[in-house]
Structures are given as structure tokens and as C-alpha cells.
Amino acid sequence: MDAVLTPLLDILRPIGITEPVLQFMLVNAILGVSIYLTLHAGMFSLASAGFMAIGAYVGALLTQQSDWPLWAALLGGMAAAGVIAVPIGLPTLRLRDIYLAIATIGFGEVVRVLILNFDDIAASVLTTLQGERVRFRLIEGARGIKGIPTLTETWHLILFLIVLGYLLTRLHRSRFGRAMAAIRQDETVAANMGINVVYVKNMVFILSAVLAGAAGVFSAHLTRIITPAAFGFDKAVDILAFAVLGGTSTWIGPIVGAMVLTAMPEVLRFLKEFRGVFNGLVLLVVIVYLPGGLVNPAGWSRLWQRLGRAQTASPSPSTGVD
Amino acid sequence: MDTLIQQGINAISLGAIYSLFALGYAMVFSILGVLNLAHSAIFMLGAFFGLIAIDQWSLPLWLAFPIAMLGAGLVSVGLELVAFRPLRRRNAARISQLISSIGAAILIVNITQLIFRQIYNSTEAYLPRDLIPSDPIVIESLGLRVQPVRMLIVVIALVLMVLLQYLVNRVRIGQHMRAVAFNQRIAALFGINVSRIFIFTFFLAGVLGGAAGMFYGVVFLNVTPFIGEDVALIGLTAIVLGGMGSIPGAVLGGFLVAGLQIFSIVIGGSSFRNAVVFLLLFIILLIRPQGLLGQPESTRA
Amino acid sequence: MRKVCLALSFLLIGVLALPVLAQDMETPQMGWWDECATPENLPDTVTIGVVFGLSGPISVYGGPQQQAVQLAVDEINESGYLGEGTTLVAMFEDSAGDAEQAIAAMTKLVEEDQVVAVIGPTLSTEAFSADPVAQENGTVVMGVSNTAIGLTDMGDFVFRDSLPESSVIPGTIAQATEVLGLEKVGVLYGNDDDFTLSGYDVFVQALEDNNVAITNEQTFARGDVDFNPQLTALLADEPDALVVSALAAEAVQIITQARDLGYEGPIIGGNGLNSPSVLEQSGDASNGVIVGAAWNIASPDPLSEVWVSNYQAAYDATPDQFATQAYTGAWLMATAIRCGDSADRTAVRDALAAIQDFPTPLGTFSFDEDRNPVHTPVVQIAQNGAFGVLGAEE
């Protein structure tokens, strides 16, 4: 693996992508796929940040407190996220569009608040049980869990994504994959076709949660400290941007989108205080000119035509109501 | 009891700001069916323009208010032209429009940050303390202390809301807005200039968001380029709670969120207030997926 | 006892600053001009890395910190502190208050730009994620605003010049209890922020140690502006004092809103309340605000006075504690480079660790064996828009 990685990093480093940046790009790629799955089944869910938090905290506690190896903690974090996704998904997935988005954002916010107050809640429960004041410190609220061992290595992430890509290709060709696509087209029609819509939607939601959990475990073992603030509303919106900027027509899109959006602030470091302005500008311009995302051949060819037309100085077509 | 009334007053004045802010979200959503996540940046600009008018141009408060509202309204129209219209023209998915609004928000916040640095050499600034008389009105018999400015804000906010309701229901352009919200194509067939209605809607939304931001600045005096982030989620919650696209719903949602937050503090759970808000939201959505005052999905075009 | 300490430390500063004073009676100058010989083996440019939160909400602190370091670097270069022909360069990187960006910035500086040492990052949570990068590369990293417990346990290249809350707050509470005769207090703190939560931890411990009862605890979140609900709940118990663990922006609101609600008693706070904006913005409401902090704008230390007036001249603003610590950090780093007479990372580390009784705006400064700062914190009370020593007014 190093034989590939070292030359790759030698190319990337001059433009500002050092190994940690590459690692965050790969972790975010997993998150991109996580939200892509739900979007691909027609669900506008923003729960990935919340499940990422669950994965991160469970994984960190397993390696730090219980000395589990990374692979075991990874499975633990993914399982925890998946298990919690069941009771969340069952009632929530009846909602659609923006209502689902807000409900899932709400889930993330509740997770964040629970992490912030977990120790206090546990302490007061223990105090009531034992009848004397008990102090309890495990997940440390806003202080964050510190000193998490840096067990994640770049090849873990690359391997994970390769396996994920293989599974996704298989998924899309399977009955289940076709059922997902059918639900996205029209839920009622899909149900009439004999697809168990509730089952498919919940399964996809769980799969998405499991992937977000995995990203959380990997991420916690890169950043060395996890705080609830890192998994809030901002993160949920960032993850959505990964998928949409990349394009949601194939699973490659969210991966590309995540990597581009993660690398951008680092690559733009030379701009100093104008970095943030450019970041916003690039996001805006890309989405306006390529509404289908970066990985969307039709969008590029349309853009190419427009550019060609602009060169021949023909006036832009008159616009009516869209 | 005294504290309860005092807390009630706190909830109303906070709710007025939330409602005003949420209204802008709701209006754009009702017409475009798209969430304008840059609305929080517009809110911030309202406070920022107010700050500039008062602090840099030494204008009186009554003049700074309309400037802040107008400025925010104009930038909001700019958003429509730059971030929404080109995407609609390309028949892009709504979700792409959501992302373009995020891009626009990042852009606005970062540009404001640069301007802040230029003017204040810092990313925060304060409005003058003597901007408004801060001596509270004391009602001894009830043990109440009320900041006059907070009451004033509630009054102005209510007036703006009534004006808006009047505009939407009674004035021609408001009726056109409702027609466009109901169905763009049919509205166009009736000769309504749809793109003008869009621009007008964004302008109104910006004016209301700017007013909310300006209030926020006047009450709390501290203005930074990031104050929008604090209300973005609250505004979203308010409109979903009240019912997407419903104007009275947004107002109800705003007051409800403020009331809930303050209620959780009263019962001793200040750490859990956002969890309380979202749990209630969750329950309401399960019972009434269209929100409290929203129409069921099937009746919307 | 404290006053004796204070007097002694002033004496010490006086003695140490004497040779400098002899050169220029008007303005005392920082630096070990005589303790260390002018370096001869330094390259033409010595580059140090600086990681601060320069964008996003954290830039309220990171911005002034950047200006403070730049001011120090300019002073160091103008005065020829590193010898003829050697220029100190500060390479600034933005961490935006984010752990991932802090790691990326630290990696860039330490591995790509090969800086001699690093100052920063602004937040403790950033430091816990990024400092190990420097440690693994054998590069000094010095926190100038990290107050969390256990920071320097990360390794022998991790330093800080910011006093942890645990060395400031217990003294504040003890002194306040003695002077004001506190029996019961209400506590208000930000529970979603590492800085304010760590402060709260130490406050609770200190209150317990001084047998002060806590009638009620309320929390708020970063970015909150309306504290009326929490304050109303707290004041209902009629506490002797309000104990507040908050950052400056929230502190201003808390103080003014508490006064608006009719509360006239003392408000006790930690580092976060120790910002010029707190006094400037809360005006008369700040009367009775008690702060224990590593440094205060009212410090009578001559070096501190010079620093404040230089900062004001350069940026037309008043420095806060974090900026002062950033300025001090840059001078400490330059002193390590001067005294080590080397731009070698390990040599800088050793020279830095050896710094004892160095005169700074913070007072006479030393590193202890754990690379934590040792200097005397100040407990002050605001009266009529200015800080004064607590207990002195009566």
C-alpha cells in the first residue's frame, strides 16, 4: 500500500494535501456515501452527523476504555449506530422531504444534547439509586474525550472505500437496489409494484447509519479528541453538501464531492483571509453551473455547449417561466 | 408566580424575534418550495447594516431601522438572482438550490467578516450602550422589571406581522403571491409576472429577516458576522413546527420555540432546552406531519 | 501573604529590569538582553509557525492573538534581539476553531514548512488534536490560550504560557469568600464549550472547599444572547453572588441583563470575564464584577503598561488576556531561540524549558517542570469602569 501512497502524497503535498488531509477526505467520502444511500431511496435525511457522533463515541470508548483493537471498535461503532437507527427510523421515515430533514436534524441535536449532559444524567441517576452524591465522568460533555489513540491509517480508509464501492455496485444491480430507485421515483407506484416500502426505507436508513458510524469511528481515531460540537447542525449540512456537490446520480459523486469539499479549504490556504470567500464562491458557482453535481456527464456536456455558444456570442435564450 | 410572569415576558420578546426571522423562511418556502438557508445570513446583515448606520454614519435609530431592512431586502433579492433563479432556469433539483443557498451564505458571512476586519479590526462590534434607554419599567406590585426596548420590539414585530397578513390577503400583489404559491403555471396563464413576484417575495423576506436581525442587534448590542448561525436552526424548527409555508404558522412556531426553551429553563433544564424543543417537534410531526397550521401535503401543488 | 508575594514579585521585576532601565529610563524593554549573549549561529531567517482561529466565531480571540504575535515579532526584529542579520518570521495558519483544520495546519507548518517551533492553537480542544503532530515531529508547540487540565501531559515538546483555570479560580473564590463573606451563590455556565465547562469544574470544587453553598445552577450555550430566563431563575434564590463561567461576549450580556433584572450583588468570573470589552460594554453594570485572571488590563507592571500602549498605538484597540499571552509567547519563543543560539528544534525546546524568572507583561514568568506557566494571577474587582485590587476599596 505504501508503494502507492507515498508517490501519491508526493504529488498531493505541494498543493496542500498532506496525509491527515487525505485521511479526512477519505473519512468524509464515507459520510458522502452514507447520505447518498438515503437520498438515492428518496429520503431527505440529515441524520448522518448524529450517527457519526454515536459511532465516534462508542468507538473511542471501546479502544480507550476497553482496549479493543480498531477493527473491533469499528464493528462496535457501526453496530451501535445501526441499532439506534431502528427505533429512530421506524416512526421518522413516514415523514417526507423537508419534514424528514428537520426531524433528522432534530435527532442529531438531541444526540448532541445527550452527549453534553450524559455524565450529569448518569450522576443524578446514580445519586438517586445510591442515596449519596455520586460524581460520574465518562464521556466528559463539552470537554470531549481526549487522548484517543490514532489507530486509523490511510490504507484502512482506502480499503474500506474499495470494499464499499464493490458492495454498492452489487447493491445497485440487486433487487433491493432497484427497489430503492423505484421508491425514489414514486413511493406509491413502488408500493403498488409489490415493494415493501417501509422495509426498504428502514434498511437503507440503517445502512446509512452504519456507514456514518464507521466514519465516526475512523474520524475519532484521527482527531485524538471528540467533542459534541463537531457533530452538530453544521456537520449535517456539510455532509449534505458533499453529496449534492458531487452529484447523486452515482455513488462516485458523493465520494468526489466529499473529497473536493474537504480538500478545498486546505488547498486554498495560500489565499489567507480570502479563503472563506473563495470557498463559498466555488460552492455557489459549481452548483449553479453544474446543478447535477461534479460527477454528472450530462451536466458537463450541457455546460460545454453553453460555453461554446457564449463564444459564438449568441444571445442567451429568452426566459419565460420555468 | 412573579418569576413565571417575568419568564413569560422573556418568552414573548424572544419569540417576536424568532417569529419575524421565521417568516422570511416561510415566505420563500411557500412560493418556491425551497429552503433558503442563506436567510440566516440576511438576518445577520440586518444587524450589520444597522450597526454601520448607527456606529459609522451616526444615524438615529429610527432612520437606521429602515436602512437595515432595506439593505437586507436588497441583498435577499440578490440571492434570488444569483443563487436561485439560474438553478430554476436549469430545472435543477430543489436540493441543488438548497446547496447554492449554503454557498451564498458562506460567501456573505465571509465577505462581512472581511468588512468587519477592515472597519473594526476585529470580528465583533458593539452598538453604543446608550442607544436605547435601558432603565427598566418596574411594576412593583407584580415584582416585574421590563426592558422598554423589548416591549417595543414585540409591538413593532406584531405590527409588521399584521401588515404582512394584510398585504398577502388584501393587496393585489399579495394575491398574486398566493396565486404563484398555489401554482406557478396557472398564475402565469393569468398574466401574472411570476419572476417579479419571486423578486418581491425575496425582498419582503429579506426585509423581515433584516428587521429581526436589527432587533437582535439593538437588544443585545453585540454584532458579529456569525449571529445568523445561532438562529438558523431555530427558524427552521419554527416553520416546520408551525407548518411549512404558512405565515401564521411561522409566527406561532417562533413564539412556541421561544416559549418551550424558556419553559425548559424554568423547570430546571437549561441544558436540555433544545432537546425539549426537538422532542416536541418530533411528536407534533408524528401526529400532524404537515405541522400545526400547515395544509396537508396533498392539497399543495 | 498575597500582597507580600506581589510586592516581592514587583521587587524582582524591578531588579531584573534594572539593566534595561539603565539603558532607557522611559520605556522598559522586554527580553533577556544581558542574561543571554547575542546569538551568532542563527540563520538569516528563523521561521516559527502560528496556528490561531482566524475565521469563524473563534476569530474574536484568534484575530487579536495574531496581531499580538505580529507586534512581538516586529519588536524582536527591530530591536535586533536575534542578532544582526537574523529575521524572525511568523507563519500564520488558520484553524477556524476546528480540530481537523488544526491538525492540517499543524502538519503543514511542522512537516512541510519545517518551522522551528509553533505557537497556538487558540482552543484547548484544537490543541488536544493538533499538538501531538508537533510532539511526534520533535517540535515545540506552545499554547497561549489553552487552559484545560492535562494539556502538557501530551509530551515534552508541549508548553503553554496560559495559566490553567485550576491555578486562578481557587484563589479568586477564597479571596472573594473572605472579603465578601459569601454563603450561597448561584452558578451560571456555558456547558457546550470546553473552556467554560472546565472553568465551571474548578469553580464548583473551589466553592465546595470554601464551604459556599450553590443554590442553583443554570447553563447556556455558546452564542446565546438572552440570559433573562436563566438569571430570573437564579436570582429567585437571592444568592450572595453570581458565579459565572462564560466567554466575553456572553459575559457582557449576563452582566448587563443581571443588573437590568435588579441584581446588585457581586458577579464572580474567570478568565472569560477578563476582557476589555466586558468593562467597555457593560459600563456601570460592571461595578462589582470580580475576576481572577492570569493578567488584567489594569496591571501596574511596567512591561504590561508598555505592551498595552504599544498595542493601542499599533491597532487602535485594547488587548485582552489571550492577546497578552500570545505576545508573551512570541517573546518567550524568541528568547529560547536567542539563548539556545540555535534554530534547532530540540535546542529551542531545551532553552525554552530553562526559562526562569523572565520579566513579561504577565509578571515574572517561569516554566515549571511540566512546562506549565508559573506567575502570580490577579484578583480584581471592577469599580466605576476600572479594575482595582479586591478588598482594597474598603
Side-chain angles (χ1 to χ4, degrees):
Chain A
M1 196 53 107
D2 271 359
V4 185
L5 207 57
T6 318
L8 179 70
L9 278 170
D10 284 342
I11 301 168
L12 294 178
R13 229 181 264 130
I15 60 165
I17 301 176
T18 52
E19 190 163 9
V21 178
L22 181 64
Q23 289 169 334
F24 294 132
M25 286 161 66
L26 295 167
V27 168
N28 287 341
I30 302 175
L31 289 169
V33 175
S34 163
I35 196 169
Y36 159 79
L37 281 177
T38 48
L39 288 174
H40 198 70
M43 294 181 280
F44 188 6
S45 159
L46 294 174
S48 293
F51 287 118
M52 183 190 184
I54 292 168
Y57 272 87
V58 171
L61 288 176
L62 288 176
T63 52
Q64 207 187 27
Q65 306 278 333
S66 315
D67 285 323
W68 287 27
L70 181 67
W71 66 267
L74 183 66
L75 292 178
M78 289 163 78
V83 168
I84 292 173
V86 178
I88 300 297
L90 278 173
T92 317
L93 295 181
R94 292 174 22 203
L95 302 171
R96 290 191 196 184
D97 295 336
I98 198 70
Y99 297 95
L100 177 61
I102 297 293
T104 45
I105 287 267
F107 158 72
E109 197 64 9
V110 171
V111 167
R112 195 178 68 84
V113 172
L114 286 181
I115 293 174
L116 280 175
N117 297 290
F118 184 86
D119 290 352
D120 287 346
I121 301 170
S124 57
V125 169
L126 289 176
T127 305
T128 337
L129 288 179
Q130 301 182 3
E132 59 187 61
R133 192 168 172 189
V134 181
R135 276 174 198 267
F136 185 87
R137 290 275 284 269
L138 179 67
I139 65 175
E140 300 279 332
R143 295 171 211 98
I145 298 185
K146 290 161 189 155
I148 303 166
T150 43
L151 300 175
T152 305
E153 285 176 44
T154 313
W155 69 267
H156 295 153
L157 295 164
I158 294 176
L159 193 67
F160 190 93
L161 279 167
I162 289 174
V163 173
L164 188 59
Y166 171 74
L167 292 176
L168 284 169
T169 327
R170 289 282 303 267
L171 178 82
H172 283 321
R173 289 202 206 109
S174 70
R175 259 177 73 94
F176 190 84
R178 287 193 296 273
M180 279 168 71
I183 291 173
R184 189 189 56 213
Q185 298 294 339
D186 191 321
E187 232 179 277
T188 331
V189 174
N192 288 340
M193 280 161 60
I195 293 169
N196 186 341
V197 173
V198 175
Y199 169 78
V200 173
K201 280 168 84 172
N202 275 282
M203 276 310 288
V204 171
F205 189 68
I206 293 168
L207 281 178
S208 162
V210 166
L211 284 182
V217 178
F218 282 131
S219 159
H221 294 86
L222 285 173
T223 52
R224 303 182 184 89
I225 177 170
I226 45 174
T227 54
F231 309 104
F233 179 54
D234 291 353
K235 187 72 186 182
V237 172
D238 282 352
I239 296 173
L240 179 67
F242 296 160
V244 179
L245 184 94
T248 50
S249 48
T250 65
W251 57 270
I252 309 273
I255 292 183
V256 171
M259 295 183 73
V260 168
L261 278 180
T262 315
M264 206 157 63
E266 297 305 324
V267 173
L268 295 179
R269 272 194 186 279
F270 67 93
L271 290 171
K272 299 288 173 197
E273 68 263 36
F274 298 101
R275 186 166 75 125
V277 176
F278 259 77
N279 227 336
L281 202 61
V282 169
L283 186 58
L284 186 62
V285 167
V286 168
I287 209 74
V288 165
Y289 285 98
L290 289 169
L294 288 168
V295 182
N296 180 8
W300 282 101
S301 66
R302 223 173 299 143
L303 181 65
W304 188 248
Q305 283 168 11
R306 279 171 49 93
L307 287 176
R309 227 182 311 156
Q311 269 169 4
T312 52
S314 77
S316 60
S318 66
T319 53
V321 185
D322 47 332
Chain B
M1 190 59 204
D2 302 350
T3 13
L4 221 55
I5 300 174
Q6 183 80 56
Q7 296 286 33
I9 293 173
N10 294 339
I12 291 170
S13 64
L14 193 62
I17 295 180
Y18 287 175
S19 297
L20 218 46
F21 173 66
L23 272 176
Y25 263 134
M27 289 176 65
V28 171
F29 188 85
S30 71
I31 296 219
L32 291 182
V34 176
L35 271 188
N36 172 16
L37 284 186
H39 190 55
S40 55
I42 298 294
F43 172 89
M44 179 275 292
L45 283 180
F48 174 65
F49 290 145
L51 173 78
I52 297 296
I54 291 169
D55 188 61
Q56 296 291 310
W57 303 337
S58 313
L59 295 176
L61 194 56
W62 61 268
L63 208 58
F65 252 117
I67 288 179
M69 287 165 71
L70 195 69
L74 290 178
V75 177
S76 184
V77 170
L79 276 180
E80 148 71 359
L81 297 180
V82 172
F84 290 97
R85 178 168 292 186
L87 280 166
R88 273 203 313 278
R89 218 172 255 172
R90 264 155 237 174
N91 280 324
R94 286 174 179 178
I95 209 169
S96 305
Q97 304 185 34
L98 189 80
I99 299 299
S100 73
S101 75
I102 295 172
I106 298 176
L107 196 62
I108 293 175
V109 169
N110 277 286
I111 291 175
T112 314
Q113 194 174 318
L114 289 178
I115 301 174
F116 253 83
R117 283 254 166 73
Q118 276 302 315
I119 301 179
Y120 295 103
N121 187 36
S122 165
T123 47
E124 69 170 352
Y126 289 86
L127 282 159
R129 259 182 64 71
D130 50 4
L131 184 64
I132 31 156
S134 61
D135 289 331
I137 303 163
V138 184
I139 308 169
E140 284 296 346
S141 57
L142 287 171
L144 283 185
R145 300 174 72 91
V146 187
Q147 286 266 272
V149 61
R150 288 181 173 235
M151 288 298 99
L152 189 68
I153 278 174
V154 175
V155 171
I156 300 179
L158 288 177
V159 167
L160 285 175
M161 287 170 201
V162 170
L163 274 179
L164 181 71
Q165 189 71 13
Y166 176 78
L167 184 86
V168 170
N169 288 326
R170 297 266 179 270
V171 179
R172 231 167 80 122
I173 194 158
Q175 285 161 349
H176 287 179
M177 282 169 71
R178 280 162 57 207
V180 173
F182 185 71
N183 190 317
Q184 286 176 31
R185 268 167 227 285
I186 296 176
L189 285 178
F190 276 93
I192 294 172
N193 186 339
V194 176
S195 25
R196 237 177 55 198
I197 295 295
F198 282 154
I199 288 186
F200 184 67
T201 306
F202 269 93
F203 180 71
L204 268 188
V207 164
L208 294 173
M214 177 75 194
F215 284 153
Y216 185 97
V218 167
V219 174
F220 305 116
L221 299 175
N222 183 338
V223 180
T224 76
F226 318 106
I227 53 174
E229 294 166 19
D230 305 331
V231 291
L233 192 52
I234 288 167
L236 278 181
T237 318
I239 51 169
V240 174
L241 199 59
M244 295 298 296
S246 154
I247 285 175
V251 175
L252 178 70
F255 281 107
L256 215 56
V257 170
L260 271 176
Q261 285 189 337
I262 285 167
F263 175 71
S264 5
I265 294 169
V266 173
I267 60 169
S270 45
S271 322
F272 294 96
R273 63 212 158 114
N274 274 6
V276 172
V277 170
F278 280 106
L279 281 179
L280 184 93
L281 175 80
F282 201 71
I283 294 165
I284 288 181
L285 281 184
L286 292 184
I287 303 167
R288 264 186 82 84
Q290 70 273 32
L292 287 174
L293 301 182
Q295 281 133 27
E297 232 167 304
S298 52
T299 66
R300 270 183 56 86
Chain C
M1 180 58 201
R2 189 167 291 271
K3 276 182 188 156
V4 176
C5 269
L6 213 63
L8 271 179
S9 55
F10 284 150
L11 199 69
L12 211 56
I13 293 168
V15 171
L16 286 167
L18 209 56
V20 183
L21 283 175
Q23 287 171 359
D24 185 350
M25 286 300 286
E26 303 288 300
T27 48
Q29 196 180 10
M30 271 193 88
W32 269 354
W33 294 91
D34 297 316
E35 287 80 352
C36 294
T38 307
E40 287 161 355
N41 302 317
L42 290 177
D44 287 348
T45 49
V46 178
T47 310
I48 56 169
V50 186
V51 182
F52 287 144
L54 302 176
S55 64
I58 190 61
S59 59
V60 170
Y61 302 98
Q65 287 187 312
Q66 179 184 27
Q67 295 175 336
V69 168
Q70 192 55 55
L71 185 68
V73 166
D74 292 346
E75 285 176 11
I76 287 159
N77 287 332
E78 275 161 29
S79 62
Y81 192 50
L82 296 184
E84 281 295 306
T86 296
T87 314
L88 183 66
V89 176
M91 196 176 248
F92 294 98
E93 290 297 343
D94 175 21
S95 61
D98 173 64
E100 292 183 12
Q101 286 212 29
I103 293 178
M106 187 70 81
T107 309
K108 173 186 180 291
L109 289 170
V110 170
E111 291 180 6
E112 304 304 308
D113 302 325
Q114 292 288 324
V115 297
V116 174
V118 179
I119 291 176
T122 303
L123 294 175
S124 295
T125 47
E126 295 175 315
F128 278 109
S129 57
D131 284 5
V133 175
Q135 174 69 30
E136 282 157 19
N137 284 280
T139 309
V140 166
V141 56
M142 188 203 292
V144 292
S145 47
N146 309 144
T147 55
I149 296 156
L151 187 97
T152 57
D153 297 345
M154 279 188 285
D156 57 348
F157 280 85
V158 182
F159 289 70
R160 67 169 145 198
D161 76 353
S162 43
L163 282 179
E165 296 277 13
S166 53
S167 37
V168 181
I169 288 171
T172 315
I173 291 293
Q175 208 173 328
T177 312
E178 194 188 309
V179 176
L180 304 166
L182 302 180
E183 283 174 8
K184 53 179 176 135
V185 296
V187 179
L188 179 60
Y189 66 103
N191 79 330
D192 68 339
D193 176 86
D194 169 56
F195 185 85
T196 51
L197 188 60
S198 306
Y200 160 79
D201 289 340
V202 187
F203 267 124
V204 169
Q205 187 61 49
L207 288 167
E208 194 176 295
D209 293 345
N210 287 284
N211 296 317
V212 180
I214 299 173
T215 54
N216 191 351
E217 289 182 7
Q218 291 285 331
T219 61
F220 59 86
R222 195 140 86 180
D224 275 6
V225 281
D226 191 356
F227 300 89
N228 272 316
Q230 288 98 325
L231 288 168
T232 308
L234 286 172
L235 297 179
D237 296 319
E238 298 183 347
D240 296 335
L242 283 181
V243 171
V244 176
S245 183
L247 291 170
E250 284 89 27
V252 172
Q253 305 295 343
I254 291 171
I255 293 166
T256 46
Q257 290 173 23
R259 298 301 187 219
D260 285 344
L261 285 171
Y263 174 71
E264 284 165 3
I267 298 173
I268 303 172
N271 278 330
L273 268 69
N274 183 34
S275 160
S277 63
V278 172
L279 272 195
E280 285 163 19
Q281 298 308 321
S282 45
D284 285 345
S286 68
N287 284 346
V289 169
I290 295 168
V291 229
W295 175 84
N296 185 287
I297 187 88
S299 165
D301 186 303
L303 279 174
S304 173
E305 283 168 0
V306 172
W307 145 247
V308 172
S309 71
N310 284 351
Y311 187 90
Q312 279 167 337
Y315 303 115
D316 192 25
T318 329
D320 62 8
Q321 174 191 335
F322 302 130
T324 310
Q325 286 166 342
Y327 173 82
T328 304
W331 269 100
L332 285 166
M333 207 65 99
T335 303
I337 295 166
R338 177 184 163 100
C339 295
D341 191 9
S342 166
D344 172 68
R345 289 170 164 182
T346 312
V348 171
R349 193 220 86 92
D350 294 341
L352 193 63
I355 289 182
Q356 294 289 322
D357 301 328
F358 182 72
T360 74
L362 303 172
T364 306
F365 185 98
S366 305
F367 283 113
D368 68 11
E369 64 271 27
D370 294 323
R371 301 163 306 283
N372 278 317
V374 181
H375 67 90
T376 318
V378 283
V379 183
Q380 312 229 23
I381 183 163
Q383 288 297 345
N384 306 321
F387 276 115
V389 177
L390 176 65
E393 78 274 14
E394 285 156 68

